[in-house]
């Protein structure tokens, strides 16, 4: 009985293998694809491109928010200096100088005038100027 089984198995096996050579090749290719691990170079490049596009979009959003914040802070400083300059004009009857040194004391803006956030220097000179009727920032002249 055992011999018959082996013979029948060999016949069955030889029948399956000999049936079509292209079928055997496609089965081997399918097995090779399933056993392949990792990513191809094209897949890695595509993943890097997609990740960099997302990162660039995020950086643009952060940069825009930072600029908006700096502009709002600058606008707040110039409004405060505008009010101090107008108060100085009402109380003294004369206009402050162009560098706003006249309002730099304890009665108006304090001993230190504010700096625009775009100006990284911590000097005592302010970058806001008095043009005769308005306070203007050197870095944000339109605001």
């Amino acid at each position: 009985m055992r011999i018959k089984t082996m013979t029948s198995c060999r016949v069955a096996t030889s029948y399956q293998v000999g049936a079509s050579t292209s079928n055997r090749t496609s089965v081997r290719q399918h097995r090779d694809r399933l056993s392949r691990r990792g990513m191809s170079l094209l897949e890695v490049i595509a993943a890097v491109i997609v990740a960099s596009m997302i990162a660039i979009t995020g950086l643009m959003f952060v940069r825009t928010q930072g600029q908006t914040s700096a502009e709002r802070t600058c606008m707040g400083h110039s409004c405060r200096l505008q009010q101090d300059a107008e108060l100085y004009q009402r109380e003294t009857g004369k206009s402050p100088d162009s560098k706003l040194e006249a309002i730099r004391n304890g009665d108006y803006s304090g001993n230190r005038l504010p700096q625009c956030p775009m100006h990284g220097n911590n000097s005592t000179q302010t970058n806001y100027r008095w043009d005769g009727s308005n306070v203007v920032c050197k870095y944000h002249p339109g605001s």
Side-chain angles (χ1 to χ4, degrees):
M1 270 189 149
R2 188 176 265 198
I3 295 173
K4 288 181 182 179
T5 307
M6 289 184 80
T7 309
S8 65
C9 285
R10 285 186 188 159
V11 171
T13 304
S14 65
Y15 174 73
Q16 288 177 347
V17 172
S20 72
T21 311
S22 63
N23 187 21
R24 182 175 42 174
T25 307
S26 66
V27 168
R28 185 180 302 147
Q29 288 173 348
H30 180 67
R31 232 184 290 132
D32 289 343
R33 265 189 254 129
L34 290 177
S35 66
R36 185 182 75 172
R37 294 181 187 213
M39 297 171 62
S40 70
L41 182 60
L42 185 61
E43 292 169 332
V44 171
I45 290 172
V48 168
I49 289 172
V50 169
S52 61
M53 289 172 60
I54 291 170
I56 288 171
T57 304
L59 287 175
M60 288 172 46
F61 177 73
V62 170
R63 185 181 314 153
T64 303
Q65 292 298 322
Q67 288 174 346
T68 303
S69 172
E71 289 171 359
R72 286 181 182 167
T73 302
C74 179
M75 198 161 68
H77 288 327
S78 63
C79 286
R80 185 181 126 215
L81 287 172
Q82 179 75 30
Q83 291 172 349
D84 291 342
E86 290 172 359
L87 179 64
Y88 177 81
Q89 274 184 325
R90 271 185 266 143
E91 288 182 353
T92 62
K94 55 184 176 179
S95 181
D97 58 319
S98 65
K99 294 183 180 180
L100 298 171
E101 291 294 321
I103 63 171
R104 194 174 104 182
N105 61 34
D107 294 335
Y108 301 103
S109 290
N111 293 331
R112 188 170 177 169
L113 294 175
Q115 296 285 341
C116 177
M118 299 300 287
H119 182 64
N121 194 355
N122 289 330
S123 68
T124 56
Q125 293 288 325
T126 186
N127 44 7
Y128 295 99
R129 301 286 178 249
W130 178 256
D131 69 356
S133 60
N134 293 318
V135 173
V136 180
C137 176
K138 180 168 124 179
Y139 299 101
H140 301 104
S143 57

